[in-house]
């Protein structure tokens, strides 16, 4: 119920394909957590998910708990920390560099992705990923969360040479 939106993104990987497709995007504004749970259960009935990734950084922890009870252990809660966010964004960058992630021409998703910023921690060991002062990261965070089940993983070295 805060200023952020809840964004749902569904990724599909067709059989016999290495490509990942964003097949569903929906933004929910200022609704109760029970509405998010209903939407996820509806989407699960439609798509037959193998994995449901939920942002547990705040109120989403309750959503994950309820879904685990009702849907089962295909639900995985992820807490966004500097390290987990760095790993998830690195994963998506690798998937895009390898041309394995097919993004739709979705105005808000593409705008928010292009607005993302990064800066190094003082000791240079971590990357802080964030949006600009006027921007939002609801869509990019939903995308990296949805893609976290699909591994392009290998840590990206952001250091400039």
């Amino acid at each position: 119920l805060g200023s952020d939106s809840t964004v749902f993104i569904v990724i599909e990987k067709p059989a016999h394909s290495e490509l990942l497709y964003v097949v569903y995007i929906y933004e929910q504004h200022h609704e109760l957590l029970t509405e998010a749970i209903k939407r996820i259960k509806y989407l699960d009935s439609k798509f037959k998910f193998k994995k449901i990734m939920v942002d547990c950084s705040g109120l989403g922890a309750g959503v994950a708990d309820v879904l685990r009870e009702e849907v089962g252990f295909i639900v995985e809660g992820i807490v966004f920390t500097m390290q987990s966010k760095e790993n998830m964004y690195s994963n998506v960058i690798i998937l895009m560099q390898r041309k394995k992630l097919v993004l739709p021409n979705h105005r808000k998703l593409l705008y928010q992705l292009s607005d993302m910023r990064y800066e190094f921690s003082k000791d240079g060991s971590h990357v802080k990923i964030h949006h600009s002062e006027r921007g939002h990261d609801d869509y990019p965070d939903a995308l990296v969360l949805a893609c976290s089940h699909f591994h392009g993983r290998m840590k990206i070295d952001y250091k400039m040479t």
Side-chain angles (χ1 to χ4, degrees):
L1 294 175
S3 62
D4 285 345
S5 294
T6 300
V7 176
F8 304 86
I9 292 184
V10 176
I11 305 285
E12 260 185 10
K13 183 179 179 289
H16 310 296
S17 175
E18 291 298 313
L19 298 178
L20 303 173
Y21 294 89
V22 175
V23 295
Y24 179 88
I25 299 175
Y26 180 78
E27 180 179 16
Q28 182 173 292
H29 299 279
H30 315 295
E31 293 189 31
L32 298 173
L33 294 177
T34 52
E35 293 303 314
I37 292 167
K38 287 178 192 173
R39 178 156 303 273
I40 294 168
K41 288 171 60 178
Y42 163 75
L43 292 171
D44 183 41
S45 72
K46 181 177 177 182
F47 288 101
K48 309 288 186 233
F49 294 137
K50 291 184 179 168
K51 191 60 109 171
I52 298 172
M53 311 300 283
V54 178
D55 176 1
C56 286
S57 302
L59 296 174
V63 172
D65 289 343
V66 170
L67 284 171
R68 267 191 217 99
E69 280 186 18
E70 296 184 13
V71 179
F73 286 97
I74 63 169
V75 177
E76 185 174 337
I78 303 290
V79 175
F80 276 71
T81 64
M82 187 182 298
Q83 184 66 53
S84 68
K85 198 167 182 175
E86 179 183 347
N87 290 340
M88 287 187 287
Y89 272 85
S90 293
N91 183 53
V92 166
I93 289 168
I94 291 166
L95 290 169
M96 290 192 304
Q97 286 175 338
R98 293 180 179 168
K99 298 186 182 345
K100 292 192 177 208
L101 178 60
V102 180
L103 297 176
N105 188 15
H106 187 280
R107 194 185 94 236
K108 249 181 153 172
L109 171 63
L110 297 176
Y111 174 77
Q112 287 187 13
L113 278 171
S114 69
D115 186 52
M116 296 304 292
R117 311 284 189 253
Y118 72 91
E119 59 191 66
F120 296 103
S121 61
K122 290 182 185 193
D123 66 2
S125 63
H126 292 290
V127 177
K128 179 181 177 190
I129 300 167
H130 58 93
H131 56 79
S132 71
E133 306 77 43
R134 296 180 315 233
H136 294 279
D137 58 4
D138 303 318
Y139 282 84
D141 282 357
L143 177 68
V144 301
L145 194 60
C147 288
S148 65
H149 179 65
F150 303 98
H151 310 291
R153 292 196 195 178
M154 134 183 147
K155 189 161 169 140
I156 292 181
D157 183 6
Y158 289 95
K159 295 181 179 142
M160 305 293 177
T161 54

Short mmCIF file of all heavy atoms in Angstrom, two decimals, residues 30-54:
data_model
loop_
_atom_site.label_atom_id
_atom_site.label_comp_id
_atom_site.label_asym_id
_atom_site.label_seq_id
_atom_site.Cartn_x
_atom_site.Cartn_y
_atom_site.Cartn_z
N HIS A 30 -1.28 -0.01 -5.31
CA HIS A 30 -1.87 0.28 -4.00
C HIS A 30 -3.02 -0.65 -3.62
O HIS A 30 -4.05 -0.21 -3.14
CB HIS A 30 -2.34 1.73 -3.95
CG HIS A 30 -1.35 2.69 -4.50
ND1 HIS A 30 -0.13 2.92 -3.92
CD2 HIS A 30 -1.38 3.47 -5.61
CE1 HIS A 30 0.54 3.80 -4.63
NE2 HIS A 30 -0.19 4.15 -5.66
N GLU A 31 -2.86 -1.92 -3.84
CA GLU A 31 -3.90 -2.88 -3.46
C GLU A 31 -3.43 -3.70 -2.27
O GLU A 31 -2.25 -3.74 -1.95
CB GLU A 31 -4.25 -3.79 -4.65
CG GLU A 31 -4.93 -3.01 -5.77
CD GLU A 31 -5.48 -3.91 -6.86
OE1 GLU A 31 -5.88 -5.03 -6.55
OE2 GLU A 31 -5.50 -3.46 -8.01
N LEU A 32 -4.34 -4.38 -1.65
CA LEU A 32 -4.02 -5.20 -0.50
C LEU A 32 -3.16 -6.40 -0.90
O LEU A 32 -3.21 -6.86 -2.05
CB LEU A 32 -5.32 -5.70 0.15
CG LEU A 32 -6.24 -4.62 0.70
CD1 LEU A 32 -7.56 -5.23 1.15
CD2 LEU A 32 -5.57 -3.87 1.84
N LEU A 33 -2.41 -6.91 0.06
CA LEU A 33 -1.58 -8.09 -0.20
C LEU A 33 -2.42 -9.28 -0.62
O LEU A 33 -1.96 -10.12 -1.41
CB LEU A 33 -0.77 -8.45 1.05
CG LEU A 33 0.29 -7.43 1.46
CD1 LEU A 33 0.97 -7.89 2.74
CD2 LEU A 33 1.29 -7.21 0.36
N THR A 34 -3.64 -9.37 -0.14
CA THR A 34 -4.51 -10.48 -0.53
C THR A 34 -4.80 -10.46 -2.03
O THR A 34 -4.97 -11.52 -2.64
CB THR A 34 -5.83 -10.45 0.26
OG1 THR A 34 -6.42 -9.15 0.14
CG2 THR A 34 -5.60 -10.77 1.73
N GLU A 35 -4.82 -9.27 -2.63
CA GLU A 35 -5.03 -9.17 -4.08
C GLU A 35 -3.81 -9.72 -4.83
O GLU A 35 -3.95 -10.36 -5.86
CB GLU A 35 -5.32 -7.72 -4.50
CG GLU A 35 -6.64 -7.20 -3.98
CD GLU A 35 -7.83 -8.05 -4.42
OE1 GLU A 35 -7.90 -8.42 -5.61
OE2 GLU A 35 -8.68 -8.35 -3.57
N ALA A 36 -2.62 -9.46 -4.31
CA ALA A 36 -1.40 -10.01 -4.91
C ALA A 36 -1.41 -11.53 -4.83
O ALA A 36 -1.08 -12.22 -5.80
CB ALA A 36 -0.16 -9.45 -4.23
N ILE A 37 -1.82 -12.06 -3.69
CA ILE A 37 -1.88 -13.52 -3.52
C ILE A 37 -2.88 -14.12 -4.50
O ILE A 37 -2.59 -15.13 -5.15
CB ILE A 37 -2.24 -13.86 -2.05
CG1 ILE A 37 -1.08 -13.47 -1.14
CG2 ILE A 37 -2.58 -15.34 -1.90
CD1 ILE A 37 -1.42 -13.45 0.34
N LYS A 38 -4.05 -13.51 -4.63
CA LYS A 38 -5.06 -14.00 -5.58
C LYS A 38 -4.52 -14.00 -7.00
O LYS A 38 -4.74 -14.95 -7.76
CB LYS A 38 -6.33 -13.14 -5.52
CG LYS A 38 -7.16 -13.36 -4.29
CD LYS A 38 -8.37 -12.41 -4.32
CE LYS A 38 -9.08 -12.38 -3.00
NZ LYS A 38 -10.14 -11.35 -2.97
N ARG A 39 -3.83 -12.92 -7.38
CA ARG A 39 -3.30 -12.84 -8.75
C ARG A 39 -2.26 -13.93 -8.98
O ARG A 39 -2.26 -14.57 -10.02
CB ARG A 39 -2.71 -11.47 -9.04
CG ARG A 39 -2.10 -11.41 -10.46
CD ARG A 39 -2.01 -10.03 -11.02
NE ARG A 39 -3.27 -9.34 -11.07
CZ ARG A 39 -4.15 -9.41 -12.07
NH1 ARG A 39 -3.91 -10.17 -13.11
NH2 ARG A 39 -5.26 -8.72 -12.04
N ILE A 40 -1.38 -14.15 -8.03
CA ILE A 40 -0.34 -15.17 -8.19
C ILE A 40 -0.98 -16.55 -8.31
O ILE A 40 -0.58 -17.37 -9.15
CB ILE A 40 0.68 -15.11 -7.04
CG1 ILE A 40 1.47 -13.79 -7.12
CG2 ILE A 40 1.63 -16.31 -7.09
CD1 ILE A 40 2.29 -13.48 -5.89
N LYS A 41 -1.98 -16.83 -7.49
CA LYS A 41 -2.67 -18.13 -7.57
C LYS A 41 -3.38 -18.29 -8.92
O LYS A 41 -3.35 -19.36 -9.52
CB LYS A 41 -3.63 -18.28 -6.40
CG LYS A 41 -2.92 -18.51 -5.08
CD LYS A 41 -3.81 -18.44 -3.87
CE LYS A 41 -4.91 -19.46 -3.91
NZ LYS A 41 -5.75 -19.41 -2.70
N TYR A 42 -4.00 -17.21 -9.40
CA TYR A 42 -4.63 -17.25 -10.72
C TYR A 42 -3.59 -17.52 -11.81
O TYR A 42 -3.78 -18.37 -12.68
CB TYR A 42 -5.36 -15.93 -11.01
CG TYR A 42 -5.67 -15.75 -12.47
CD1 TYR A 42 -6.69 -16.48 -13.07
CD2 TYR A 42 -4.91 -14.90 -13.26
CE1 TYR A 42 -6.96 -16.35 -14.43
CE2 TYR A 42 -5.16 -14.76 -14.61
CZ TYR A 42 -6.19 -15.49 -15.19
OH TYR A 42 -6.43 -15.37 -16.53
N LEU A 43 -2.46 -16.80 -11.74
CA LEU A 43 -1.40 -16.99 -12.74
C LEU A 43 -0.83 -18.40 -12.68
O LEU A 43 -0.52 -19.00 -13.71
CB LEU A 43 -0.30 -15.95 -12.55
CG LEU A 43 -0.68 -14.52 -12.88
CD1 LEU A 43 0.42 -13.55 -12.45
CD2 LEU A 43 -1.02 -14.35 -14.35
N ASP A 44 -0.70 -18.95 -11.47
CA ASP A 44 -0.22 -20.32 -11.33
C ASP A 44 -1.19 -21.30 -11.99
O ASP A 44 -0.77 -22.25 -12.65
CB ASP A 44 0.00 -20.66 -9.86
CG ASP A 44 0.57 -22.05 -9.66
OD1 ASP A 44 1.47 -22.45 -10.43
OD2 ASP A 44 0.12 -22.75 -8.74
N SER A 45 -2.48 -21.07 -11.82
CA SER A 45 -3.46 -21.97 -12.46
C SER A 45 -3.40 -21.87 -13.98
O SER A 45 -3.64 -22.83 -14.68
CB SER A 45 -4.88 -21.66 -11.96
OG SER A 45 -5.35 -20.44 -12.48
N LYS A 46 -3.04 -20.70 -14.48
CA LYS A 46 -2.97 -20.47 -15.93
C LYS A 46 -1.65 -21.00 -16.52
O LYS A 46 -1.64 -21.63 -17.57
CB LYS A 46 -3.10 -18.97 -16.21
CG LYS A 46 -3.08 -18.60 -17.66
CD LYS A 46 -3.29 -17.10 -17.83
CE LYS A 46 -3.18 -16.75 -19.31
NZ LYS A 46 -3.32 -15.35 -19.58
N PHE A 47 -0.54 -20.72 -15.85
CA PHE A 47 0.78 -21.03 -16.40
C PHE A 47 1.41 -22.31 -15.84
O PHE A 47 2.40 -22.79 -16.37
CB PHE A 47 1.76 -19.86 -16.16
CG PHE A 47 1.48 -18.66 -17.00
CD1 PHE A 47 0.82 -17.57 -16.47
CD2 PHE A 47 1.88 -18.60 -18.33
CE1 PHE A 47 0.56 -16.44 -17.23
CE2 PHE A 47 1.64 -17.48 -19.10
CZ PHE A 47 0.97 -16.40 -18.55
N LYS A 48 0.88 -22.85 -14.75
CA LYS A 48 1.44 -24.06 -14.12
C LYS A 48 2.93 -23.86 -13.80
O LYS A 48 3.81 -24.54 -14.33
CB LYS A 48 1.25 -25.30 -15.00
CG LYS A 48 -0.16 -25.51 -15.49
CD LYS A 48 -1.07 -25.95 -14.37
CE LYS A 48 -2.44 -26.30 -14.91
NZ LYS A 48 -3.53 -25.63 -14.28
N PHE A 49 3.21 -22.93 -12.93
CA PHE A 49 4.58 -22.55 -12.61
C PHE A 49 5.40 -23.70 -12.04
O PHE A 49 4.89 -24.52 -11.28
CB PHE A 49 4.60 -21.41 -11.58
CG PHE A 49 4.06 -20.11 -12.08
CD1 PHE A 49 3.21 -19.37 -11.29
CD2 PHE A 49 4.39 -19.62 -13.33
CE1 PHE A 49 2.70 -18.15 -11.72
CE2 PHE A 49 3.89 -18.41 -13.78
CZ PHE A 49 3.04 -17.67 -12.97
N LYS A 50 6.68 -23.71 -12.40
CA LYS A 50 7.64 -24.61 -11.76
C LYS A 50 8.26 -23.92 -10.56
O LYS A 50 8.72 -24.57 -9.63
CB LYS A 50 8.73 -25.00 -12.75
CG LYS A 50 8.22 -25.89 -13.85
CD LYS A 50 9.33 -26.34 -14.77
CE LYS A 50 8.73 -27.24 -15.83
NZ LYS A 50 9.64 -27.50 -16.91
N LYS A 51 8.29 -22.59 -10.59
CA LYS A 51 8.88 -21.81 -9.50
C LYS A 51 8.18 -20.45 -9.45
O LYS A 51 7.89 -19.87 -10.48
CB LYS A 51 10.38 -21.62 -9.75
CG LYS A 51 11.14 -21.07 -8.60
CD LYS A 51 11.07 -21.94 -7.39
CE LYS A 51 12.32 -22.66 -7.06
NZ LYS A 51 12.24 -23.31 -5.77
N ILE A 52 7.90 -19.99 -8.23
CA ILE A 52 7.34 -18.66 -8.01
C ILE A 52 8.31 -17.91 -7.12
O ILE A 52 8.58 -18.34 -5.99
CB ILE A 52 5.95 -18.74 -7.33
CG1 ILE A 52 4.95 -19.48 -8.22
CG2 ILE A 52 5.45 -17.33 -6.99
CD1 ILE A 52 3.61 -19.77 -7.55
N MET A 53 8.85 -16.83 -7.63
CA MET A 53 9.82 -16.03 -6.90
C MET A 53 9.10 -14.80 -6.33
O MET A 53 8.43 -14.09 -7.07
CB MET A 53 10.95 -15.57 -7.82
CG MET A 53 11.56 -16.70 -8.66
SD MET A 53 12.28 -18.02 -7.70
CE MET A 53 13.79 -17.28 -7.20
N VAL A 54 9.26 -14.57 -5.02
CA VAL A 54 8.58 -13.46 -4.35
C VAL A 54 9.61 -12.59 -3.65
O VAL A 54 10.48 -13.10 -2.94
CB VAL A 54 7.56 -13.99 -3.31
CG1 VAL A 54 6.87 -12.83 -2.58
CG2 VAL A 54 6.52 -14.88 -3.98
#
